[in-house]
Amino acid sequence: MDAMDLVGRVTDALQRSVLPAVIARGGAVRVVAVEDGVATLEVRGSPGAALPLASRIQDLLGAAVPEITGVRIVGPHAEPPPAGRGQSLADRVRAVLDGEINPVIAAHGGRVALVEVDQGWIRIRLEGGCQGCSLAEVTIRQGIEPLLRARVPEMVGLADVTDHAAGTKPFFCRVIRRMSVPGMLLPAGIGSWQRTRW
C-alpha cells in the first residue's frame, strides 16, 4: 500500500472520530507521518486536548485503519526520541518525557521531570504551569501514564511526587483567574466545586 494513501486514511479517521473531541478541548491534531504501523500525530494548543485521549485515539485509529499498531503524540516541531536499545529504564522514560510529553505540555509553560525509577516504579515531578494546576491529575492519569505504559511496558506504576501546594503559577488557575471574579464558584477538579480564594 502507498504510504500517502495510508496517511490519507489515518487523516480521514482522525477527522471523523478524534478531531471533534480534540477541538472541543482546545487543541488541534495532524498526521505527521506513518511508519512501520506507527502514526505520529502533532498536537497543538492545550495539552489536555489530546494527551488524556491518547489510548482512545490509538484504539479508534487501529479500528479504522488496521495497519496502525501504535500512535505517537508529539508537540510542535518535536524531535523524534532516540532508539531505546541498550538504554536503562530511566533513560527510556526520560526519552519519552522529553521527546513526546514535554513538547506538548510546554504550551502551558509546564514540564515533567523524572525524579526516580525504583523497581519499575516511576516517580515524576510536575514543574512550571503544571505544578498546582487543577487538571494535573487528569493529565497524569489519562495522558502521561497510558503513554508511558505503551512506550515502557516494564513500568510497574507511576507516582506524582509534586508539591502542588507550592505551585506559584499554575496554568489552569491563571486562565480561570483572568475569566472570573474573586469568591465566584468555579470547578476545582472533575466532579467537584470549591470557592476560589484570591
Side-chain angles (χ1 to χ4, degrees):
M1 173 177 292
D2 182 280
M4 290 305 290
D5 180 47
L6 192 54
V7 169
R9 289 176 50 216
V10 170
T11 301
D12 289 344
L14 274 177
Q15 290 176 345
R16 281 192 318 271
S17 59
V18 176
L19 199 54
V22 172
I23 290 171
R25 292 169 172 241
V29 63
R30 73 178 184 92
V31 180
V32 176
V34 177
E35 296 174 358
D36 299 324
V38 176
T40 301
L41 309 177
E42 180 185 78
V43 175
R44 293 180 182 266
S46 171
L51 280 181
L53 299 174
S55 61
R56 185 169 169 228
I57 290 171
Q58 182 162 328
D59 292 343
L60 289 169
L61 286 180
V65 185
E67 296 89 345
I68 298 301
T69 58
V71 171
R72 180 172 170 253
I73 296 177
V74 299
H77 313 297
E79 294 295 319
R85 291 186 178 90
Q87 292 181 321
S88 70
L89 180 59
D91 288 339
R92 287 185 292 127
V93 168
R94 197 172 289 111
V96 173
L97 292 176
D98 292 343
E100 298 186 55
I101 294 170
N102 283 331
V104 175
I105 64 174
H108 286 187
R111 182 175 190 290
V112 181
L114 177 63
V115 173
E116 176 184 39
V117 175
D118 182 30
Q119 298 179 4
W121 275 93
I122 297 167
R123 290 174 181 78
I124 59 170
R125 181 180 56 247
L126 302 181
E127 299 172 345
C130 293
Q131 184 183 13
C133 177
S134 61
L135 294 177
E137 186 67 17
V138 173
T139 301
I140 290 169
R141 298 299 163 213
Q142 295 180 17
I144 296 170
E145 185 171 15
L147 189 60
L148 280 172
R149 284 194 185 282
R151 302 295 186 263
V152 187
E154 61 271 36
M155 176 179 109
V156 172
L158 180 67
D160 176 19
V161 298
T162 307
D163 180 2
H164 286 285
T168 57
K169 295 182 179 180
F171 180 80
F172 191 67
C173 294
R174 283 195 315 253
V175 171
I176 294 298
R177 214 173 274 175
R178 278 184 256 147
M179 299 179 344
S180 62
V181 206
M184 164 180 192
L185 290 176
L186 293 171
I190 305 298
S192 65
W193 293 79
Q194 80 177 25
R195 188 168 295 277
T196 60
R197 290 175 241 154
W198 295 309

